[in-house]
Amino acid sequence: MAPIHATFNAVTKIKDESRSNREWSLHFQTISDGAGCVGWVQAPSSPAEAVKEQKEAAEFYANRVISTYKEKDKKHVDWARSYIALIEELRKYVLEYHKMGLIWNPKGGKATEFSLESVGGAPGKSSAPLPPPPPPPPPPPLIETTPPPASSGGAALTGTAAVFAQLNQGMDITKGLRKVEKSEMTHKNPSLRVSSTVPARSPSPSPTSKQPPKPKKPVSLQAKKPPKKELQGGKWIVEHYENDKEIVLDDVSISQVVALYGCKNCVVQVKGKINGVTMTNCQKTSIVIDSTISVISITNCQSFQLQILGTAPTIQIETTDFGQVFLSETCLGAEIITAKCSAINISIPTGSEGDFSEKPVPEMLRTVIQDGKLVSSIVEHSG
């Protein structure tokens, strides 16, 4: 595995050195995020899921390549789609032939000495040609439908024939109805209305009837789910922890991702370089990360803290209020993307004594129309 790791580190180095190249930086980022798919051979189980996660990581920048060059140069668009399709074909191959992981032969020899003859796979010199395929089956016989024999005049009609026979009578169809006497009419005899039985309402309401929405159970009354921390394929799952300040993940690899969900008042520390991190529906939760090679995504969280000790290319924050991001000196080139957020602050290191300078992420934009296009700028308050 040493050559694979060396090649992967070289790809990451080229990507980091090409950040200032506006024309090719997105391409290198796409390649770097998807290159981890070759690490499926180390996945203990479900390697196809690990390849899928690498494809999804690469799609983030591949879509940006497509949107940037869609109207400029179609070759870039074709390249991005071909790269994602290549990873998808690898996922299909792994899912079909190595669904539960790569199985090594404990009695195998050196790979350089492998040959088809050693496993009996070479065809013989006098092998007979394969017989021709069998002829196709004959066509199915035609089904001849004959009209049913006409019923005799004395036979009674049944089914659909009886219904049409009655409809063809025209006005004569009402001759068999009995005349209702006045003493039997409810609108002329109030006593009949009082004693009449009201039919029961159908248990299923009509589609047009409106019913009040069922109220949701308060969060305080909902059953708490047990905490869980486990490795599923290439993803570390950490969810439903509460008031735990010592959650540590130290057995991680560069091909794995960490997913936090539903944690409250917790501190999570990830030791080692990983592929990416997602944090969803967490409250008052802090996470400390060494380094990542792809996106750190934070969605629908309240009062979070994120500290990066090494490097991370992209930090994406969506639908989140009250957040603090601490960057290291080697992470100042990170790209920070926010959407529907408020009270997000970025702390930048200043000096060698561990001091930070806090910078708020803009929340108010001014949009004007120029030459038929919307142009937005940040609103700055003075005084």
Side-chain angles (χ1 to χ4, degrees), residues 93-220:
Y93 165 79
V94 174
L95 183 63
E96 182 176 358
Y97 296 102
H98 306 282
K99 187 174 183 180
M100 301 307 297
L102 192 63
I103 300 176
W104 301 93
N105 184 6
K107 299 181 180 179
K110 296 182 179 180
T112 55
E113 300 176 357
F114 176 80
S115 63
L116 292 177
E117 289 80 359
S118 62
V119 294
K125 295 183 179 180
S126 60
S127 58
L130 296 176
L142 297 177
I143 301 177
E144 299 181 358
T145 58
T146 57
S151 59
S152 60
L157 297 177
T158 59
T160 307
V163 175
F164 282 101
Q166 292 184 2
L167 293 177
N168 291 332
Q169 295 180 15
M171 296 301 296
D172 294 339
I173 194 173
T174 60
K175 289 182 177 180
L177 299 178
R178 184 177 66 87
K179 184 178 180 181
V180 180
E181 302 295 337
K182 291 183 179 182
S183 60
E184 299 175 345
M185 297 180 181
T186 56
H187 67 282
K188 293 183 177 292
N189 296 276
S191 59
L192 296 177
R193 294 200 299 269
V194 175
S195 62
S196 61
T197 303
V198 179
R201 186 177 180 181
S202 174
S204 59
S206 61
T208 57
S209 63
K210 294 184 179 179
Q211 294 183 348
K214 186 178 181 180
K216 295 183 179 180
K217 183 181 295 186
V219 178
S220 59

Side-chain angles (χ1 to χ4, degrees), residues 354-368:
D355 297 331
F356 286 86
S357 175
E358 188 176 272
K359 306 291 183 181
V361 175
E363 300 177 19
M364 185 178 295
L365 301 178
R366 178 192 296 109
T367 302
V368 296

Side-chain angles (χ1 to χ4, degrees), residues 30-53:
T30 304
I31 295 174
S32 177
D33 287 356
C37 65
V38 298
W40 70 269
V41 295
Q42 291 183 301
S45 61
S46 302
E49 188 68 21
V51 177
K52 179 183 177 182
E53 292 170 358

